Amino acid sequence: MSYDLKMRVWRGDSGGGDLGDYTVSVETGEVVLDAIHRLQATQAGDLAVRWNCKAGKCGSCSAEINGRPRLMCMTRLSDFDESETITVTPMRAFPVIRDLVTDVSFNYEKARELPGVELGPRDADNKRRMMQVDVERGQEFRKCIECFLCQDTCHVIRDHEDNKQAFAGPRFFLRYAELDMHPLDTHDRRALAQEAAGIGMCNITKCCTEVCPEGIKITDNAIIPMKERVVDRKFDPLVWLGDKIGLRNKDNDGRVEP
Amino acid sequence: MVIQNMNSEVAMASTDAGVTGPTRARIEEKTLREDRWWLAPLATFIVFTAFVIYATWRAFMGSDYYASPYLSPFYSPCLGDCVDGASDFGQPFRAFPLSAALIILIFPLGFRMTCYYYRKAYYRAFWLSPPACAVAEPHKSYSGETRLPLILNNLHRWFWYAAMVVAVVLTYDTVLAFRNEDHEWGHMGLGTLLMIVNVALIWLYTLSCHSCRHAVGGRLRHFSKHPVRYKLWTWVSRLNGSHAKFAWYSLFSVALVDLYVYLLATGTIDDVRFF
Amino acid sequence: MGSAHEGTRHPMTGNEMSGSSRGGMEHHTFDVVVLGAGGAGLRAAIAAHDAGARVAIVCKSLLGKAHTVMAEGGIAASMGNVYPDDNWQVHFRDTMRGGKMLNNWRMAQLHAQEAPERVMELEDWGALFDRTDDGLISQRDFGGHKYARLAHVGDRTGLEMIRTLQQRAVALGIEVFMECTVTDILKDGDRVAGAFGYWRETGRFVTFEAPSVVLATGGIGKSFKVTSNSWEYTGDGHALALRAGASLINMEFVQFHPTGMVWPPSVKGLLVTESVRGDGGILKNSEGTRFMFDYIPEFFRAETADTIEEADRWYDDKKNNRRPPELLPRDEVARAINSEIKAGRGTPHGGIYLDIASRRSPEFIRRRLPSMYHQFKELADVDITAEPMEIGPTCHYVMGGVEVDADTELSAVTGLYAVGECSGGMHGSNRLGGNSLSDLLVFGRRAGESAAAYAVSTASAPPAIDPVDVKAAEASALAPFDVAADAQGGGENPYTIQHDLQQSMNDLVGIIRTAEELSASLGAIEEFKQRASRMVVEGHRQYNPGWHLSLDLRNMLLVSESIAKAALAREESRGGHTRDDFPGPDPVWGTKNLVVTLDADGSGVDLHEKPLPEMPAELRTFFEEPPAAGEPKAPSVEPVETPEEGKQS
């Protein structure tokens, strides 16, 4: 069964642009990305849009649908009334390149600033041993498909361009938490999370968790535990006292700051 | 579009550049959301404001907080110059000139003020930072919790320790509520029931706290080496999923118990005695 | 590193100049340029970097979005963590048998030998695999593998792999040029001199001067209508190699994955991982019959359960029972499903049922198959813990690709390497699940090392790009705009041609083939070529998907022709190539590969036969060995040359 869907799609580039009105024929069971593709194939051959897998696994087709950050391939048309107009705009936290395509370099720069995993030597039989319960927290964070919707919705940078320098954003707090919880990593990354990544800027309003298409509990499972770990090191008077009077600090669990 | 120009534009951009900043897609609306996104922050604002007004009025009142055998949770433990029967832990601050509630209220209040859930709620509802997801906030600049006073939110775990003590005290008060007006054991009234519900919710809220989750096991890197703490952590994690719910319910329950005590103490109503 | 203007490069894409500025073409110099940033490309780049080369990765999408993320099941490697009996010899044997002995034996050997260490490296670099009870990397069962062998992370192993390699490459500081499409390999005489391409974002051109180019561009699936592949899979590496003078091998072998989604239309073809079957899922037709028992070929009869009872016991007791027929190699299962649907026993949406809901608890399903649960819930509104999935075959993988030297991955052109899905030989006529991810790692590393070694050897006399070739490449890339200007009476829309090509390939060169249909498809491809020369591209060069498609279409047409020609020539059925008119395997064809090269005028391909490389005697013994004493699940004993049976066509 097909019907005519009314859409408003943002067309333009950094010089300006506006929401263009389109009517596109769609089928039941389709997703917003299908409608965008049909638009591209029939009415707007040069409509710029990023996409790859069309299955919610690569995180390329991030956009804002009716004002909410979503993956276009995971937004089913059946979630909307057939008479409803669907508005699609590019992500609004990043510089626009053209139409629905934005410049997400911010995220790639932040990725470069983050020191990678650094494991000790393997066991004598050349294997590594980690228990399932010890890797499970990290595995949740590694489900991240890097769609950057959490970064897009995060008001710290969405509403304050000047914070981009000092703030890495939820996606990278996920990475800090993953590495800090890695059973074999040798780095203590708490100072970096606080100073280089600016975790103190986060006021845990949880929008990142709300938009995550993978359902990762970014705030509860990564950011807050990471904040607590920073507190262990920085805002815990006992730790401070221990440092002052020269007691050995066991808090770093044998890890060193990179 | 010119990448290089774009970057220099970023550099020159005024500091308040948000979604309407020069590099972003030109869309005038601060949000294109069409749902009732304002409902949740508005409801939070109204309820919290009402609670704060009520709690302030009651805390400064300094009277009608004890209706034997019930002690209002706002005044427990009653360490100031309290009415007879209310002080189960002595009156070390007898000289304190103001309401006895003010001596101890800082602990539960501080616990809630620094709570990760309440922070989310008041940043959204009171400070509009942001009012809702993908809705632009009105502030020109933002530094999060990196400066005073908000950096003090990092002291949450210290308030959590205090909140554990408060929860124990409230539990003790609840046990004492199994008495009648003349402090004879083996009785129960509607007030007792309300206090049981309240103390249960207080415990659920206190134990589901993110700092608690961290302390019991979250801070470990090797769960496998600490099976007991891992077990505790999984329990607390499950509770933690409902932390926001417990935060609300216990807010209502604590106010309700206080109100009940107030109404008894002022003689507005009589306690419903079960046995 | 390699670039002279690093300071002005765009922080993400590596783009150096703006779209509107005039004069000069962006130019970079490296030792090794890797085309593609999937598992193979990233692993090759890391290896080349570690070997001391200056390396660039050039990719069509953003870093981390390559099709490798879609791989679900796992990485096949005989680490023996679950079954200590497993070793490279068994893996080698499984691979060769799965490929119906048409594999390049040397590649299969290297692959089986080196895969375990490549997996361990991923762990060193931060991958968090699922664990066994002893804390080792857990391994799961998969079709065609004798032992549980696939290192995995739930059902998102590909994502774990690409993220790990991506993070490693970033940590090493390897330069990445994103959203940049290479359209030509440039040569200096008969050596590679570099690559020419355009920035998708700005439409401006760029040249990479490098003595070594590694093709790691993936597959060709986008030439088919029902496919699990993304838009990037347009056979770029295959076509670039052909045009540069290299040859393609085994192009007739296209793997149709037995289980792709068939509903809703927007996700038709999307993969349903084989792990569903490995974890207990069974196939049923519309009559409720578990039909795979009717399709067990002779070749696998000795190791496949022939009763439901034995098959069901296998999940818990693998030692004393034979594998369920649902876990036969992919080609067998895909053909069986196809036959059931053709016989009218399909589901309402034209598939068959894959049922795990009636066999495993909801908790088990959600824990073992989280992304499948998610995928069906979100995209089809189907709860796989409560109802069966509707699935059908989908174009998944091309076994064919650039013909390379097994040890170095060097193609027929000096300096041109190929690795991963765009290379050929490793998987013979059919790839086993899980062997792809290990293939990427094993040969990615080998290609990177040999490309780096060769580049260093050219230091005294490096090849140089000829400006004339650059001009020609530029003109060729801009042709779709120029054609528009000359077009009389309306040009062709590239989207329409692509759509028609996909339909034609699906109908005529699909899972079951006949001489008649293959001939018809070659006629159709000629017609598409004509239409493609009249394509009109709207708009301008900046981020113009219509233009990008028009350039990709050339590659798709060349690759489609290669597949159809080779498929027409191979008059037998084997692995991923099934001929209705030649239903069985032919021992004579079992000794030959088909090789395609670019034809004289460069618009099509020529076909050649080539004898299969001979396996050394000591490896042959793996296929002649009698069953070991006390081993109930005996390996099949029939000699390799006589796979008489088997094709249920």
Side-chain angles (χ1 to χ4, degrees), chain C residues 519-549:
Chain C
S519 306
S521 83
L522 284 167
I525 290 168
E526 280 310 313
E527 203 181 299
F528 295 138
K529 283 191 199 168
Q530 291 304 316
R531 286 171 60 188
S533 66
R534 299 192 304 270
M535 274 183 297
V536 172
V537 174
E538 276 179 50
H540 46 90
R541 279 163 63 186
Q542 191 200 89
Y543 220 113
N544 185 338
W547 178 44
H548 302 163
L549 177 60

Side-chain angles (χ1 to χ4, degrees), chain C residues 277-291:
Chain C
R277 284 171 284 141
D279 286 339
I282 55 166
L283 298 167
K284 290 198 269 195
N285 61 23
S286 59
E287 294 162 2
T289 311
R290 191 170 165 185
F291 59 82

Side-chain angles (χ1 to χ4, degrees), chain B residues 54 57-58 61-72 75 83-84 86 181 191 256-271:
Chain B
Y54 175 79
W57 169 62
R58 282 290 289 150
M61 185 180 273
S63 61
D64 303 324
Y65 50 82
Y66 186 72
S68 183
Y70 309 130
L71 173 62
S72 159
Y75 285 80
V83 299
D84 282 350
E181 223 168 312
L256 187 64
V257 170
D258 175 76
L259 180 66
Y260 190 76
V261 172
Y262 170 74
L263 294 177
L264 291 181
T266 53
T268 315
I269 57 169
D270 287 325
D271 189 21

Side-chain angles (χ1 to χ4, degrees), chain A residues 212-225:
Chain A
C212 180
E214 287 295 297
I216 302 171
K217 301 263 185 293
I218 304 175
T219 318
D220 287 327
N221 289 352
I223 298 182
I224 294 174

